[in-house]
Amino acid sequence: MARLLVQLKLQLLTNALRASRPAKVSFIISTIFAVLVAFGTFVVLALLRGSAAPVTQTAAVFTVFAFGWLILPLLVFGLDSTLDPATLALYPLRTRPLAVGLLAASATGAWPAANVIGLLGVTVGLARGPLGLLVAVVAVLLQVLFCIVLARLVTTGLAGMLRSRRGKDFAAFLIIPIFALYETFAQVVPRLAAEGKITTRTFEGIDRWLRWLPPGLAAHAIQDASDGHPGPALLRLLLLAAVIVVLGALWIRSLSRSLVTVDTSTQSSKVRGAALPFGRFGIGGTVAARFLLYQRREPGAIVRWCIIGVVMLAASVSTIREPTYHVGLIISAVLAGIMLSVFQANTIGLTGPAFGLEASSLSGVRALRGYFTGRNAALAVIAVPLSLVLSVGLATFAGHPGEWFWGVAIDLCAIGAALGLSSLLSATTAYPVQKRVGSPVPNAADGYGSQAFAGGMGSLFGVLLASVPVILALIFTHGLAGAVRIPLLVVCAAAYGTGLAWAGSYLAAVASVRRIPELCQDALRSKL
């Protein structure tokens, strides 16, 4: 059974090179990243040799890999059909041989090999002596085996949920903490390292509880063996092996249950009818109601709003507590507008085939202006409160709550510019999108990458240029009294942003009035 499933896994990997061009490119890029991860991890762990506390840093690296194996399989559940036990439910297979075969298949491929090769860097950075090298090899193999079994247990237990709509929403929301952790690492860690605030004591504090987790057991077993303590090293390895056995037993039990349980993930849900809010206000009100509804129900939309919030916080975290906190407030507000414009610059393509029905009522400039105005109103209802709360919170965290208007004024301007610019880009550079199974974010269809890139660059420079007048006004009105300066700046910025949004809606309506057939064709080619 194990040999058969391994052969099937290898055949799947080989077929990826013979499939369509996107599949082939995806496979090649994934393999390249696996090689880079293997090489980079090996070098990082090898460079720990001679450091003050290599074992604590090794335990941290091992734990990061374990969390990666825990989270990433949930994101690619729909892409890798081998993760779903339902694909084998109809075959007369016994559970235990099947579990062994699935485990062997999970250990086959570029990424498992990259994990083993990368973590073997401990043989240079941490292990010392023949006993240390032997324990290091065993510990790395047990660490990778623990990661694979843990990933299998989680995906098998959640398989039914992940096939459902709510399960896919849950997997989509996992992107948010991953993105937040990445932004925090990219913004905070290099700065703290440059200032010397990340020291050995930092890792020692983390290691107080990491050492009792399975990855910490593997790292400290290597350290004990290198120090000439084979007894504690063997005990730690036995504890790690016991954890793997327990997780494996739980996985086999979950696998056995999933193979004989009726799949309820595709059952239909009850539909409740209700009047569409704002529908009595014509096309603009109807479009606003529809956009508000989908911003709340569509997981990709929620993910995009959360990413905007994370970007605002991460962009200012390095300067918000410094004397130049104004720079952080300005950058976060401008980036919020840029991200909003980038995410909404292809509204028609993201709407998909449903736009064909909407287009039947868009017969003139007035109707199209109502369409784009309703869209902008719905997005503004979410974007304005979100950005204002975050800007005021950042100013308060910086220790200058009275300076909240710096971020608020630019927020109002940048959001208006983003809405107007994204409306114009949606009308002039619409392109079809396609959504891969298991991914919550649609991407540009094949052959339309240049249009997506042009829309991103247009959003970047357009929002940035539109925000310059408000930034200059904030700088040159520094001498005015606060009672005059704050209302003047906020009101003028709100009026300026509203004007930009209205102008963008009008220009988008004029530009699209003769392009309705082309826009419908682009929308119909979208695969959502």
Side-chain angles (χ1 to χ4, degrees), residues 103-417:
L103 190 62
S106 298
T108 304
W111 280 102
N115 278 253
V116 174
I117 295 172
L119 296 181
L120 281 176
V122 296
T123 58
V124 179
L126 183 59
R128 299 187 306 275
L131 181 61
L133 290 174
L134 176 62
V135 172
V137 173
V138 175
V140 167
L141 295 178
L142 287 177
Q143 159 73 8
V144 176
L145 182 61
F146 163 76
C147 293
I148 295 175
V149 174
L150 178 64
R152 275 292 177 178
L153 173 62
V154 173
T155 53
T156 302
L158 299 178
M161 186 189 74
L162 292 173
R163 284 193 297 268
S164 66
R165 169 63 185 269
R166 293 190 180 276
K168 294 176 181 178
D169 294 355
F170 170 73
F173 294 149
L174 288 176
I175 293 179
I176 299 169
I178 294 174
F179 186 80
L181 289 174
Y182 169 76
E183 286 292 332
T184 302
F185 181 86
Q187 296 286 338
V188 177
V189 174
R191 179 170 174 265
L192 294 178
E195 295 176 356
K197 295 181 179 179
I198 297 181
T199 61
T200 304
R201 292 184 178 180
T202 305
F203 289 95
E204 289 177 352
I206 299 174
D207 189 61
R208 292 176 182 175
W209 55 273
L210 279 186
R211 65 172 59 213
W212 302 111
L213 297 177
L217 292 174
H220 282 273
I222 302 172
Q223 180 67 34
D224 291 338
S226 300
D227 292 340
H229 304 293
L234 180 61
L235 180 60
R236 292 181 187 275
L237 292 179
L238 290 177
L239 286 175
L240 177 56
V243 172
I244 296 173
V245 170
V246 172
L247 292 179
L250 293 174
W251 170 44
I252 292 174
R253 184 177 179 182
S254 177
L255 179 62
S256 177
R257 186 170 56 250
S258 65
L259 292 176
V260 297
T261 303
V262 177
D263 184 14
T264 60
S265 62
T266 57
Q267 290 183 353
S268 61
S269 59
K270 184 181 295 184
V271 179
R272 295 183 176 90
L276 187 67
F278 312 120
R280 62 180 180 274
F281 295 109
I283 292 178
T286 303
V287 172
R290 197 266 290 175
F291 266 89
L292 279 175
L293 185 64
Y294 276 88
Q295 297 304 306
R296 177 177 61 87
R297 295 179 58 184
E298 207 269 315
I302 300 176
V303 169
R304 287 190 285 269
W305 288 115
C306 292
I307 288 177
I308 290 175
V310 170
V311 168
M312 288 188 67
L313 295 175
S316 59
V317 70
S318 60
T319 58
I320 199 65
R321 299 292 294 181
E322 303 293 336
T324 57
Y325 63 91
H326 294 99
V327 177
L329 294 175
I330 292 174
I331 292 176
S332 64
V334 173
L335 281 178
I338 292 174
M339 296 298 292
L340 176 62
S341 180
V342 169
F343 286 146
Q344 303 297 332
N346 186 32
T347 296
I348 294 173
L350 292 173
T351 302
F355 180 76
L357 183 61
E358 296 177 347
S360 62
S361 62
L362 304 177
S363 57
V365 174
R366 183 176 180 179
L368 285 166
R369 188 176 62 187
Y371 174 84
F372 287 109
T373 301
R375 161 196 176 274
N376 290 346
L379 296 176
V381 166
I382 302 174
V384 172
L386 174 65
S387 58
L388 295 190
V389 168
L390 291 178
S391 292
V392 173
L394 287 172
T396 304
F397 179 74
H400 302 276
E403 303 293 324
W404 57 269
F405 62 91
W406 278 79
V408 169
I410 300 176
D411 281 332
L412 296 173
C413 160
I415 290 173

Side-chain angles (χ1 to χ4, degrees), residues 341-527:
S341 180
V342 169
F343 286 146
Q344 303 297 332
N346 186 32
T347 296
I348 294 173
L350 292 173
T351 302
F355 180 76
L357 183 61
E358 296 177 347
S360 62
S361 62
L362 304 177
S363 57
V365 174
R366 183 176 180 179
L368 285 166
R369 188 176 62 187
Y371 174 84
F372 287 109
T373 301
R375 161 196 176 274
N376 290 346
L379 296 176
V381 166
I382 302 174
V384 172
L386 174 65
S387 58
L388 295 190
V389 168
L390 291 178
S391 292
V392 173
L394 287 172
T396 304
F397 179 74
H400 302 276
E403 303 293 324
W404 57 269
F405 62 91
W406 278 79
V408 169
I410 300 176
D411 281 332
L412 296 173
C413 160
I415 290 173
L419 295 176
L421 186 60
S422 61
S423 297
L424 186 58
L425 290 172
S426 296
T428 56
T429 62
Y431 54 89
V433 298
Q434 59 184 3
K435 187 175 181 180
R436 297 180 64 189
V437 179
S439 174
V441 181
N443 298 314
D446 297 338
Y448 293 92
S450 58
Q451 290 178 250
F453 179 78
M457 291 296 100
S459 299
L460 171 64
F461 292 106
V463 174
L464 185 60
L465 291 175
S467 303
V468 169
V470 178
I471 297 174
L472 295 177
L474 286 166
I475 296 174
F476 291 123
T477 58
H478 183 70
L480 294 179
V484 176
R485 183 190 184 199
I486 295 176
L488 179 65
L489 287 173
V490 173
V491 171
C492 290
Y496 177 53
T498 303
L500 290 175
W502 182 90
S505 299
Y506 178 77
L507 293 175
V510 173
S512 59
V513 67
R514 295 183 179 179
R515 299 187 68 246
I516 291 295
E518 299 176 23
L519 297 177
C520 287
Q521 290 296 323
D522 291 332
L524 289 173
R525 284 195 290 265
S526 292
K527 299 177 181 179

